[in-house]
Amino acid sequence: MDRYLVVSSDGHIGLRAPDYRPYVEAKYRAAFDEALPIQIDATRRMSDYFLITEINEEWRHGRDYELSGAWDPVARDKVLDGDGIAAEVLFPDGVTEMNAPPFGAGFTMRPDGASAELMWAGCDAHNRFCAEFVQTAPERRIGLACIPIYWDVALAVKKTEEARASGLRGVLLPPMWGSFDAYHHPKYDPFWATCQDLEMPVHFHSGPAPMEQFFGPLPPTDRDSVPPGAVGSYLMEVHLWLTRPLTFMLWGGVFTRFPKLKVAITEGTSAWVPDYLDRLEFHYAKTRESQKLGDFRGHLAESPADTFRKNVMIGASCMSRREAEARHAIGVGNMMWGSDYPHPEGSWPMTRQQQLDALHGVPDAELEALLGGNAVAFYGLDAGKLAPLAARIGPDKAGFQKARVAAA
Amino acid sequence: MDRYLVVSSDGHIGLRAPDYRPYVEAKYRAAFDEALPIQIDATRRMSDYFLITEINEEWRHGRDYELSGAWDPVARDKVLDGDGIAAEVLFPDGVTEMNAPPFGAGFTMRPDGASAELMWAGCDAHNRFCAEFVQTAPERRIGLACIPIYWDVALAVKKTEEARASGLRGVLLPPMWGSFDAYHHPKYDPFWATCQDLEMPVHFHSGPAPMEQFFGPLPPTDRDSVPPGAVGSYLMEVHLWLTRPLTFMLWGGVFTRFPKLKVAITEGTSAWVPDYLDRLEFHYAKTRESQKLGDFRGHLAESPADTFRKNVMIGASCMSRREAEARHAIGVGNMMWGSDYPHPEGSWPMTRQQQLDALHGVPDAELEALLGGNAVAFYGLDAGKLAPLAARIGPDKAGFQKARVAAA
């Protein structure tokens, strides 16, 4: 084949806020109607302070059809074909700030102060929509179910089984647990067992953080209520909030008990990985500094750095040149390119160029792995089924050769 | 001079818990008497799960006199002389887990659920003891005042002025602010102004973290209530909780408004610095990834990575060989060696060997800076006054030469 099979590890779908209504169970529709204007207002006010409206609006300008791929499968496939993407992972939150599921479901799923019943209703609505969306082209779409696991593990297990039965192929978990038990707690074991048995990789996606610590009371009442440096501090920390769940799972021995459980950490770049692995190894190799502290290795079958290599995959959205150059320290087998469509920070509509800029000169076998092969293995995709599509739309290998020569 | 002037950036003092009583204001002594057994019991139960009792007790065995340097100035000077340390910075928490000030004062000073009045009473008690301790050898002792600033900034200013007047030369702030305003909030400006004007460097010291997230409800009721991996997860994260205040201060423009304000970040190693500086610079140099987000640079006079070089010092306790080798990436001018006496993870009683192991082969001028020169400049110490002491007790330069030759 003279083209690459590309799988995007990071795509987003979501309905316009009012359009979630028919997907919400009937008994929650009155609550939905009541919450809708509040949600829209809060989203708008938050985005006034968090996003540069002009840049976001300029980016959207004249792209209404292409951006409707957030909920319209026909528009989406047109974009995917143009981008050379054969298959993709589908997270919630379609176009930034405009397509979040109701009742705090979706990306963040913060538990404190939330109603478990309503958040589950919001997740159910999104998961139904997602399953329906997947069915429009099951071989191209890896749909994820939103599962807020901290309230009721048995219920989370049941919802995950239902999601699998409906054709979804992974779960998205909240990266923050508020005052609930963190992810090293054994109470979650039945859930990890289910994900392992059903071959549903667990996902954490960048973005959530304790926003009120950066921005003050939310949503902001006026510009003066937001302290200077809110966004800068947020950017410095966002990957830390993303990787916390994995830290607790690795040290908690989750993968010792469930060695086939898989985790993807998405859109936090992969730049943090070498330092993270160093620190896992450093603390595992018992050091003088840790001698006074209690045992924390007896329940682990191996170094958590070794576990990382086997069980963890990085959704390296818009993988940068810098990340590509550091790929051996990060792990060529642990990185999956992603487009992040339809977010403005994603590669679309310049995906081809983004890939060439970042990946030119990477040997062919490694390129194949980074662009799609790793994702095929991680999600158990049927590469044979995707091959004809890739042969038609995939980026041509000759282009990468030319870019390599041009850069040299 | 054929010996180095050594300043330890990390020492700890503290009274045995009951001995804080006379330092507590009379009207809080009834509360002190009531809280004392509860505090002792909670500390013991926490240490049962957090510390390896045997290792800590073995370490203490036969060292009662030397460890009494936590509160006895004569014992302390004997230890310092033997260690070749001319001067040192004095944090609270003497011997690990045994000498914390009352009412949650000292190291962590977590605000949520605490009584502001009682915590201030505890801080006052420690600060009085510390000022008294400093007076036993003012040229050798850099005493820090515990200042929980989030409740009442005006009161924090007043307490800092009093601390300065009593001979203390820096402040220790809580690294976690709970539900209170983070350190980029302009409400803290009068406090930063005071620290700048009085030349009182601001300190954050490693250790505090949201312990209940790792260990479950505190203090632990029994061994089964502590999830596996609690200590490992804590170790992975502890430097992140330490550096958060600095992140908010840098992005908040605190040093643009108070360019002479100084901050020390102590006992979190210095290994995190190169990555941290990279990320500061990366986010400051406006990248594609940040384009959709709000402005976060307009209020900064320069890149926060440049600010770091000028205003921040690392208390690199027991600086490792690895840190010494990375000193140019970390910043030779930003690192201060420290002993961490009397903590078991500190260099005492093997300080000389620790210094030789870590620092052999480092050029003389850099060694001078790392062992003491940087601290002299940062704290404005009188090097002339300390010189005779250093000439008597300091580590001999010839020893480092020999170690260099032996290692080569």
PDB file of all heavy atoms in Angstrom, chain A residues 240 275 279 283, chain B residues 206-209 233-245 247 265 267-273 275-276 279:
ATOM      1  N   LEU A 240      -1.315  17.894  34.485  1.00  0.00           N
ATOM      2  CA  LEU A 240      -1.176  17.247  35.793  1.00  0.00           C
ATOM      3  C   LEU A 240      -2.518  16.696  36.266  1.00  0.00           C
ATOM      4  O   LEU A 240      -2.598  15.583  36.789  1.00  0.00           O
ATOM      5  CB  LEU A 240      -0.639  18.238  36.823  1.00  0.00           C
ATOM      6  CG  LEU A 240       0.677  18.925  36.440  1.00  0.00           C
ATOM      7  CD1 LEU A 240       1.077  19.949  37.484  1.00  0.00           C
ATOM      8  CD2 LEU A 240       1.775  17.885  36.259  1.00  0.00           C
ATOM      9  N   ASP A 275       9.652  12.270  31.691  1.00  0.00           N
ATOM     10  CA  ASP A 275       9.827  12.685  33.082  1.00  0.00           C
ATOM     11  C   ASP A 275       8.949  11.844  34.012  1.00  0.00           C
ATOM     12  O   ASP A 275       9.387  11.423  35.091  1.00  0.00           O
ATOM     13  CB  ASP A 275       9.473  14.174  33.208  1.00  0.00           C
ATOM     14  CG  ASP A 275       9.474  14.653  34.651  1.00  0.00           C
ATOM     15  OD1 ASP A 275      10.545  14.616  35.262  1.00  0.00           O
ATOM     16  OD2 ASP A 275       8.403  15.041  35.158  1.00  0.00           O
ATOM     17  N   ARG A 279      10.187   9.329  37.043  1.00  0.00           N
ATOM     18  CA  ARG A 279       9.770   9.450  38.440  1.00  0.00           C
ATOM     19  C   ARG A 279       9.119   8.165  38.935  1.00  0.00           C
ATOM     20  O   ARG A 279       9.303   7.780  40.093  1.00  0.00           O
ATOM     21  CB  ARG A 279       8.856  10.657  38.615  1.00  0.00           C
ATOM     22  CG  ARG A 279       9.633  11.964  38.456  1.00  0.00           C
ATOM     23  CD  ARG A 279       8.823  13.195  38.815  1.00  0.00           C
ATOM     24  NE  ARG A 279       7.743  13.434  37.891  1.00  0.00           N
ATOM     25  CZ  ARG A 279       6.448  13.430  38.221  1.00  0.00           C
ATOM     26  NH1 ARG A 279       6.086  13.213  39.466  1.00  0.00           N
ATOM     27  NH2 ARG A 279       5.524  13.655  37.323  1.00  0.00           N
ATOM     28  N   HIS A 283      10.922   6.291  42.136  1.00  0.00           N
ATOM     29  CA  HIS A 283      10.245   6.002  43.402  1.00  0.00           C
ATOM     30  C   HIS A 283      10.072   4.496  43.616  1.00  0.00           C
ATOM     31  O   HIS A 283       9.994   4.045  44.755  1.00  0.00           O
ATOM     32  CB  HIS A 283       8.893   6.713  43.463  1.00  0.00           C
ATOM     33  CG  HIS A 283       9.034   8.198  43.597  1.00  0.00           C
ATOM     34  ND1 HIS A 283       9.672   8.788  44.661  1.00  0.00           N
ATOM     35  CD2 HIS A 283       8.651   9.220  42.788  1.00  0.00           C
ATOM     36  CE1 HIS A 283       9.671  10.093  44.511  1.00  0.00           C
ATOM     37  NE2 HIS A 283       9.065  10.386  43.379  1.00  0.00           N
TER      38      HIS A 283
ATOM     39  N   SER B 206       8.263  21.346  50.928  1.00  0.00           N
ATOM     40  CA  SER B 206       7.650  20.095  50.494  1.00  0.00           C
ATOM     41  C   SER B 206       7.062  19.307  51.659  1.00  0.00           C
ATOM     42  O   SER B 206       7.551  19.375  52.777  1.00  0.00           O
ATOM     43  CB  SER B 206       8.710  19.248  49.792  1.00  0.00           C
ATOM     44  OG  SER B 206       8.121  18.096  49.250  1.00  0.00           O
ATOM     45  N   GLY B 207       6.055  18.545  51.373  1.00  0.00           N
ATOM     46  CA  GLY B 207       5.437  17.683  52.369  1.00  0.00           C
ATOM     47  C   GLY B 207       3.936  17.713  52.281  1.00  0.00           C
ATOM     48  O   GLY B 207       3.301  16.678  52.071  1.00  0.00           O
ATOM     49  N   PRO B 208       3.346  18.904  52.416  1.00  0.00           N
ATOM     50  CA  PRO B 208       1.887  18.974  52.375  1.00  0.00           C
ATOM     51  C   PRO B 208       1.315  18.522  51.032  1.00  0.00           C
ATOM     52  O   PRO B 208       1.917  18.751  49.978  1.00  0.00           O
ATOM     53  CB  PRO B 208       1.594  20.460  52.608  1.00  0.00           C
ATOM     54  CG  PRO B 208       2.775  20.968  53.362  1.00  0.00           C
ATOM     55  CD  PRO B 208       3.946  20.191  52.808  1.00  0.00           C
ATOM     56  N   ALA B 209       0.182  17.893  51.077  1.00  0.00           N
ATOM     57  CA  ALA B 209      -0.562  17.421  49.910  1.00  0.00           C
ATOM     58  C   ALA B 209      -1.948  17.070  50.444  1.00  0.00           C
ATOM     59  O   ALA B 209      -2.127  16.973  51.660  1.00  0.00           O
ATOM     60  CB  ALA B 209       0.124  16.204  49.287  1.00  0.00           C
ATOM     61  N   SER B 233       1.613   7.054  45.310  1.00  0.00           N
ATOM     62  CA  SER B 233       0.915   8.157  44.644  1.00  0.00           C
ATOM     63  C   SER B 233       1.321   9.487  45.274  1.00  0.00           C
ATOM     64  O   SER B 233       1.555  10.481  44.571  1.00  0.00           O
ATOM     65  CB  SER B 233      -0.598   7.989  44.762  1.00  0.00           C
ATOM     66  OG  SER B 233      -1.001   6.718  44.306  1.00  0.00           O
ATOM     67  N   TYR B 234       1.411   9.478  46.596  1.00  0.00           N
ATOM     68  CA  TYR B 234       1.833  10.701  47.300  1.00  0.00           C
ATOM     69  C   TYR B 234       3.222  11.139  46.845  1.00  0.00           C
ATOM     70  O   TYR B 234       3.452  12.310  46.533  1.00  0.00           O
ATOM     71  CB  TYR B 234       1.812  10.444  48.811  1.00  0.00           C
ATOM     72  CG  TYR B 234       2.542  11.494  49.613  1.00  0.00           C
ATOM     73  CD1 TYR B 234       1.942  12.714  49.900  1.00  0.00           C
ATOM     74  CD2 TYR B 234       3.840  11.270  50.076  1.00  0.00           C
ATOM     75  CE1 TYR B 234       2.611  13.683  50.628  1.00  0.00           C
ATOM     76  CE2 TYR B 234       4.518  12.237  50.808  1.00  0.00           C
ATOM     77  CZ  TYR B 234       3.898  13.440  51.079  1.00  0.00           C
ATOM     78  OH  TYR B 234       4.570  14.401  51.789  1.00  0.00           O
ATOM     79  N   LEU B 235       4.150  10.201  46.773  1.00  0.00           N
ATOM     80  CA  LEU B 235       5.520  10.546  46.380  1.00  0.00           C
ATOM     81  C   LEU B 235       5.577  11.111  44.957  1.00  0.00           C
ATOM     82  O   LEU B 235       6.352  12.016  44.667  1.00  0.00           O
ATOM     83  CB  LEU B 235       6.438   9.319  46.475  1.00  0.00           C
ATOM     84  CG  LEU B 235       6.834   8.912  47.891  1.00  0.00           C
ATOM     85  CD1 LEU B 235       7.587   7.586  47.871  1.00  0.00           C
ATOM     86  CD2 LEU B 235       7.666   9.995  48.558  1.00  0.00           C
ATOM     87  N   MET B 236       4.747  10.578  44.081  1.00  0.00           N
ATOM     88  CA  MET B 236       4.725  11.073  42.697  1.00  0.00           C
ATOM     89  C   MET B 236       4.235  12.513  42.620  1.00  0.00           C
ATOM     90  O   MET B 236       4.581  13.251  41.710  1.00  0.00           O
ATOM     91  CB  MET B 236       3.798  10.204  41.840  1.00  0.00           C
ATOM     92  CG  MET B 236       4.381   8.897  41.394  1.00  0.00           C
ATOM     93  SD  MET B 236       5.718   9.079  40.190  1.00  0.00           S
ATOM     94  CE  MET B 236       4.766   9.440  38.678  1.00  0.00           C
ATOM     95  N   GLU B 237       3.378  12.885  43.559  1.00  0.00           N
ATOM     96  CA  GLU B 237       2.693  14.171  43.445  1.00  0.00           C
ATOM     97  C   GLU B 237       3.227  15.255  44.357  1.00  0.00           C
ATOM     98  O   GLU B 237       2.906  16.431  44.170  1.00  0.00           O
ATOM     99  CB  GLU B 237       1.210  13.983  43.774  1.00  0.00           C
ATOM    100  CG  GLU B 237       0.441  13.223  42.726  1.00  0.00           C
ATOM    101  CD  GLU B 237      -1.036  13.557  42.763  1.00  0.00           C
ATOM    102  OE1 GLU B 237      -1.504  14.072  43.786  1.00  0.00           O
ATOM    103  OE2 GLU B 237      -1.701  13.305  41.749  1.00  0.00           O
ATOM    104  N   VAL B 238       4.045  14.867  45.342  1.00  0.00           N
ATOM    105  CA  VAL B 238       4.315  15.840  46.404  1.00  0.00           C
ATOM    106  C   VAL B 238       4.987  17.108  45.867  1.00  0.00           C
ATOM    107  O   VAL B 238       4.686  18.216  46.308  1.00  0.00           O
ATOM    108  CB  VAL B 238       5.102  15.170  47.564  1.00  0.00           C
ATOM    109  CG1 VAL B 238       6.452  14.672  47.117  1.00  0.00           C
ATOM    110  CG2 VAL B 238       5.211  16.109  48.746  1.00  0.00           C
ATOM    111  N   HIS B 239       5.852  16.976  44.856  1.00  0.00           N
ATOM    112  CA  HIS B 239       6.512  18.190  44.346  1.00  0.00           C
ATOM    113  C   HIS B 239       5.542  19.061  43.532  1.00  0.00           C
ATOM    114  O   HIS B 239       5.757  20.254  43.374  1.00  0.00           O
ATOM    115  CB  HIS B 239       7.760  17.848  43.527  1.00  0.00           C
ATOM    116  CG  HIS B 239       7.471  17.356  42.140  1.00  0.00           C
ATOM    117  ND1 HIS B 239       6.920  16.111  41.892  1.00  0.00           N
ATOM    118  CD2 HIS B 239       7.609  17.938  40.938  1.00  0.00           C
ATOM    119  CE1 HIS B 239       6.761  15.959  40.596  1.00  0.00           C
ATOM    120  NE2 HIS B 239       7.169  17.050  39.994  1.00  0.00           N
ATOM    121  N   LEU B 240       4.470  18.435  43.024  1.00  0.00           N
ATOM    122  CA  LEU B 240       3.476  19.228  42.294  1.00  0.00           C
ATOM    123  C   LEU B 240       2.697  20.128  43.246  1.00  0.00           C
ATOM    124  O   LEU B 240       2.434  21.292  42.943  1.00  0.00           O
ATOM    125  CB  LEU B 240       2.516  18.309  41.541  1.00  0.00           C
ATOM    126  CG  LEU B 240       3.185  17.305  40.607  1.00  0.00           C
ATOM    127  CD1 LEU B 240       2.156  16.371  39.998  1.00  0.00           C
ATOM    128  CD2 LEU B 240       3.961  18.036  39.517  1.00  0.00           C
ATOM    129  N   TRP B 241       2.345  19.575  44.402  1.00  0.00           N
ATOM    130  CA  TRP B 241       1.632  20.395  45.393  1.00  0.00           C
ATOM    131  C   TRP B 241       2.549  21.487  45.925  1.00  0.00           C
ATOM    132  O   TRP B 241       2.078  22.561  46.305  1.00  0.00           O
ATOM    133  CB  TRP B 241       1.086  19.498  46.509  1.00  0.00           C
ATOM    134  CG  TRP B 241       0.026  18.579  45.971  1.00  0.00           C
ATOM    135  CD1 TRP B 241       0.171  17.256  45.653  1.00  0.00           C
ATOM    136  CD2 TRP B 241      -1.311  18.925  45.599  1.00  0.00           C
ATOM    137  NE1 TRP B 241      -1.000  16.767  45.121  1.00  0.00           N
ATOM    138  CE2 TRP B 241      -1.931  17.760  45.082  1.00  0.00           C
ATOM    139  CE3 TRP B 241      -2.058  20.110  45.668  1.00  0.00           C
ATOM    140  CZ2 TRP B 241      -3.261  17.743  44.622  1.00  0.00           C
ATOM    141  CZ3 TRP B 241      -3.371  20.089  45.215  1.00  0.00           C
ATOM    142  CH2 TRP B 241      -3.956  18.926  44.707  1.00  0.00           C
ATOM    143  N   LEU B 242       3.842  21.211  45.939  1.00  0.00           N
ATOM    144  CA  LEU B 242       4.814  22.207  46.406  1.00  0.00           C
ATOM    145  C   LEU B 242       4.956  23.374  45.435  1.00  0.00           C
ATOM    146  O   LEU B 242       5.101  24.521  45.851  1.00  0.00           O
ATOM    147  CB  LEU B 242       6.172  21.511  46.580  1.00  0.00           C
ATOM    148  CG  LEU B 242       7.384  22.408  46.818  1.00  0.00           C
ATOM    149  CD1 LEU B 242       7.266  23.123  48.164  1.00  0.00           C
ATOM    150  CD2 LEU B 242       8.673  21.595  46.767  1.00  0.00           C
ATOM    151  N   THR B 243       4.936  23.082  44.134  1.00  0.00           N
ATOM    152  CA  THR B 243       5.235  24.123  43.150  1.00  0.00           C
ATOM    153  C   THR B 243       4.003  24.900  42.681  1.00  0.00           C
ATOM    154  O   THR B 243       4.139  25.914  42.005  1.00  0.00           O
ATOM    155  CB  THR B 243       5.940  23.521  41.913  1.00  0.00           C
ATOM    156  OG1 THR B 243       5.134  22.461  41.392  1.00  0.00           O
ATOM    157  CG2 THR B 243       7.304  22.978  42.280  1.00  0.00           C
ATOM    158  N   ARG B 244       2.797  24.426  43.053  1.00  0.00           N
ATOM    159  CA  ARG B 244       1.587  25.134  42.619  1.00  0.00           C
ATOM    160  C   ARG B 244       1.572  26.619  43.020  1.00  0.00           C
ATOM    161  O   ARG B 244       1.206  27.466  42.196  1.00  0.00           O
ATOM    162  CB  ARG B 244       0.325  24.467  43.176  1.00  0.00           C
ATOM    163  CG  ARG B 244       0.080  23.069  42.646  1.00  0.00           C
ATOM    164  CD  ARG B 244      -1.326  22.604  42.974  1.00  0.00           C
ATOM    165  NE  ARG B 244      -2.284  23.212  42.065  1.00  0.00           N
ATOM    166  CZ  ARG B 244      -3.550  23.488  42.368  1.00  0.00           C
ATOM    167  NH1 ARG B 244      -4.002  23.239  43.576  1.00  0.00           N
ATOM    168  NH2 ARG B 244      -4.356  24.022  41.487  1.00  0.00           N
ATOM    169  N   PRO B 245       1.925  26.952  44.265  1.00  0.00           N
ATOM    170  CA  PRO B 245       1.876  28.378  44.627  1.00  0.00           C
ATOM    171  C   PRO B 245       2.743  29.235  43.695  1.00  0.00           C
ATOM    172  O   PRO B 245       2.324  30.306  43.266  1.00  0.00           O
ATOM    173  CB  PRO B 245       2.440  28.402  46.052  1.00  0.00           C
ATOM    174  CG  PRO B 245       2.249  27.032  46.589  1.00  0.00           C
ATOM    175  CD  PRO B 245       2.347  26.101  45.412  1.00  0.00           C
ATOM    176  N   THR B 247       3.589  28.612  40.597  1.00  0.00           N
ATOM    177  CA  THR B 247       2.939  28.690  39.282  1.00  0.00           C
ATOM    178  C   THR B 247       1.927  29.829  39.250  1.00  0.00           C
ATOM    179  O   THR B 247       1.901  30.643  38.322  1.00  0.00           O
ATOM    180  CB  THR B 247       2.235  27.355  38.969  1.00  0.00           C
ATOM    181  OG1 THR B 247       3.211  26.304  39.005  1.00  0.00           O
ATOM    182  CG2 THR B 247       1.570  27.390  37.607  1.00  0.00           C
ATOM    183  N   ILE B 265      11.757  27.510  47.232  1.00  0.00           N
ATOM    184  CA  ILE B 265      10.973  26.274  47.130  1.00  0.00           C
ATOM    185  C   ILE B 265      11.868  25.157  47.665  1.00  0.00           C
ATOM    186  O   ILE B 265      12.862  24.804  47.021  1.00  0.00           O
ATOM    187  CB  ILE B 265      10.610  25.974  45.668  1.00  0.00           C
ATOM    188  CG1 ILE B 265       9.936  27.177  45.003  1.00  0.00           C
ATOM    189  CG2 ILE B 265       9.750  24.730  45.562  1.00  0.00           C
ATOM    190  CD1 ILE B 265       8.521  27.420  45.407  1.00  0.00           C
ATOM    191  N   GLU B 267      13.066  21.485  49.529  1.00  0.00           N
ATOM    192  CA  GLU B 267      13.000  20.030  49.698  1.00  0.00           C
ATOM    193  C   GLU B 267      12.053  19.333  48.727  1.00  0.00           C
ATOM    194  O   GLU B 267      11.481  18.287  49.043  1.00  0.00           O
ATOM    195  CB  GLU B 267      12.666  19.620  51.141  1.00  0.00           C
ATOM    196  CG  GLU B 267      13.307  18.270  51.454  1.00  0.00           C
ATOM    197  CD  GLU B 267      12.850  17.614  52.758  1.00  0.00           C
ATOM    198  OE1 GLU B 267      12.242  18.279  53.603  1.00  0.00           O
ATOM    199  OE2 GLU B 267      13.144  16.428  52.905  1.00  0.00           O
ATOM    200  N   GLY B 268      11.912  19.884  47.551  1.00  0.00           N
ATOM    201  CA  GLY B 268      11.175  19.167  46.508  1.00  0.00           C
ATOM    202  C   GLY B 268      12.149  18.677  45.455  1.00  0.00           C
ATOM    203  O   GLY B 268      11.755  18.412  44.329  1.00  0.00           O
ATOM    204  N   THR B 269      13.409  18.541  45.801  1.00  0.00           N
ATOM    205  CA  THR B 269      14.534  18.357  44.882  1.00  0.00           C
ATOM    206  C   THR B 269      14.545  19.541  43.897  1.00  0.00           C
ATOM    207  O   THR B 269      13.658  20.416  43.946  1.00  0.00           O
ATOM    208  CB  THR B 269      14.525  17.035  44.082  1.00  0.00           C
ATOM    209  OG1 THR B 269      13.720  17.169  42.901  1.00  0.00           O
ATOM    210  CG2 THR B 269      14.036  15.864  44.916  1.00  0.00           C
ATOM    211  N   SER B 270      15.531  19.556  43.009  1.00  0.00           N
ATOM    212  CA  SER B 270      15.537  20.577  41.957  1.00  0.00           C
ATOM    213  C   SER B 270      15.371  19.912  40.590  1.00  0.00           C
ATOM    214  O   SER B 270      15.475  20.560  39.559  1.00  0.00           O
ATOM    215  CB  SER B 270      16.837  21.384  41.999  1.00  0.00           C
ATOM    216  OG  SER B 270      17.954  20.520  41.868  1.00  0.00           O
ATOM    217  N   ALA B 271      15.100  18.609  40.608  1.00  0.00           N
ATOM    218  CA  ALA B 271      15.016  17.849  39.346  1.00  0.00           C
ATOM    219  C   ALA B 271      13.882  18.332  38.451  1.00  0.00           C
ATOM    220  O   ALA B 271      13.938  18.201  37.233  1.00  0.00           O
ATOM    221  CB  ALA B 271      14.846  16.354  39.649  1.00  0.00           C
ATOM    222  N   TRP B 272      12.841  18.903  39.039  1.00  0.00           N
ATOM    223  CA  TRP B 272      11.672  19.345  38.281  1.00  0.00           C
ATOM    224  C   TRP B 272      11.905  20.660  37.541  1.00  0.00           C
ATOM    225  O   TRP B 272      11.100  21.043  36.686  1.00  0.00           O
ATOM    226  CB  TRP B 272      10.473  19.493  39.231  1.00  0.00           C
ATOM    227  CG  TRP B 272      10.761  20.394  40.407  1.00  0.00           C
ATOM    228  CD1 TRP B 272      11.325  20.021  41.598  1.00  0.00           C
ATOM    229  CD2 TRP B 272      10.568  21.805  40.485  1.00  0.00           C
ATOM    230  NE1 TRP B 272      11.487  21.112  42.417  1.00  0.00           N
ATOM    231  CE2 TRP B 272      11.022  22.228  41.760  1.00  0.00           C
ATOM    232  CE3 TRP B 272      10.049  22.773  39.626  1.00  0.00           C
ATOM    233  CZ2 TRP B 272      10.980  23.560  42.182  1.00  0.00           C
ATOM    234  CZ3 TRP B 272      10.006  24.098  40.043  1.00  0.00           C
ATOM    235  CH2 TRP B 272      10.470  24.489  41.311  1.00  0.00           C
ATOM    236  N   VAL B 273      12.981  21.356  37.875  1.00  0.00           N
ATOM    237  CA  VAL B 273      13.142  22.728  37.367  1.00  0.00           C
ATOM    238  C   VAL B 273      13.264  22.818  35.842  1.00  0.00           C
ATOM    239  O   VAL B 273      12.557  23.629  35.222  1.00  0.00           O
ATOM    240  CB  VAL B 273      14.316  23.438  38.080  1.00  0.00           C
ATOM    241  CG1 VAL B 273      14.591  24.802  37.455  1.00  0.00           C
ATOM    242  CG2 VAL B 273      14.020  23.588  39.566  1.00  0.00           C
ATOM    243  N   ASP B 275      12.192  20.993  33.337  1.00  0.00           N
ATOM    244  CA  ASP B 275      10.890  20.762  32.699  1.00  0.00           C
ATOM    245  C   ASP B 275       9.924  21.906  33.009  1.00  0.00           C
ATOM    246  O   ASP B 275       9.194  22.383  32.135  1.00  0.00           O
ATOM    247  CB  ASP B 275      10.324  19.422  33.196  1.00  0.00           C
ATOM    248  CG  ASP B 275       8.904  19.178  32.704  1.00  0.00           C
ATOM    249  OD1 ASP B 275       8.743  19.072  31.479  1.00  0.00           O
ATOM    250  OD2 ASP B 275       7.978  19.115  33.525  1.00  0.00           O
ATOM    251  N   TYR B 276       9.943  22.371  34.223  1.00  0.00           N
ATOM    252  CA  TYR B 276       9.067  23.460  34.645  1.00  0.00           C
ATOM    253  C   TYR B 276       9.383  24.734  33.863  1.00  0.00           C
ATOM    254  O   TYR B 276       8.476  25.405  33.358  1.00  0.00           O
ATOM    255  CB  TYR B 276       9.257  23.670  36.148  1.00  0.00           C
ATOM    256  CG  TYR B 276       8.330  24.652  36.815  1.00  0.00           C
ATOM    257  CD1 TYR B 276       7.065  24.265  37.226  1.00  0.00           C
ATOM    258  CD2 TYR B 276       8.732  25.960  37.080  1.00  0.00           C
ATOM    259  CE1 TYR B 276       6.217  25.153  37.871  1.00  0.00           C
ATOM    260  CE2 TYR B 276       7.892  26.855  37.727  1.00  0.00           C
ATOM    261  CZ  TYR B 276       6.634  26.444  38.125  1.00  0.00           C
ATOM    262  OH  TYR B 276       5.798  27.334  38.766  1.00  0.00           O
ATOM    263  N   ARG B 279       8.174  24.507  30.293  1.00  0.00           N
ATOM    264  CA  ARG B 279       6.734  24.699  30.143  1.00  0.00           C
ATOM    265  C   ARG B 279       6.327  26.150  30.346  1.00  0.00           C
ATOM    266  O   ARG B 279       5.440  26.654  29.665  1.00  0.00           O
ATOM    267  CB  ARG B 279       5.977  23.763  31.089  1.00  0.00           C
ATOM    268  CG  ARG B 279       6.130  22.293  30.654  1.00  0.00           C
ATOM    269  CD  ARG B 279       5.235  21.340  31.418  1.00  0.00           C
ATOM    270  NE  ARG B 279       5.624  21.216  32.803  1.00  0.00           N
ATOM    271  CZ  ARG B 279       4.862  21.566  33.844  1.00  0.00           C
ATOM    272  NH1 ARG B 279       3.660  22.050  33.637  1.00  0.00           N
ATOM    273  NH2 ARG B 279       5.291  21.417  35.068  1.00  0.00           N
TER     274      ARG B 279
END
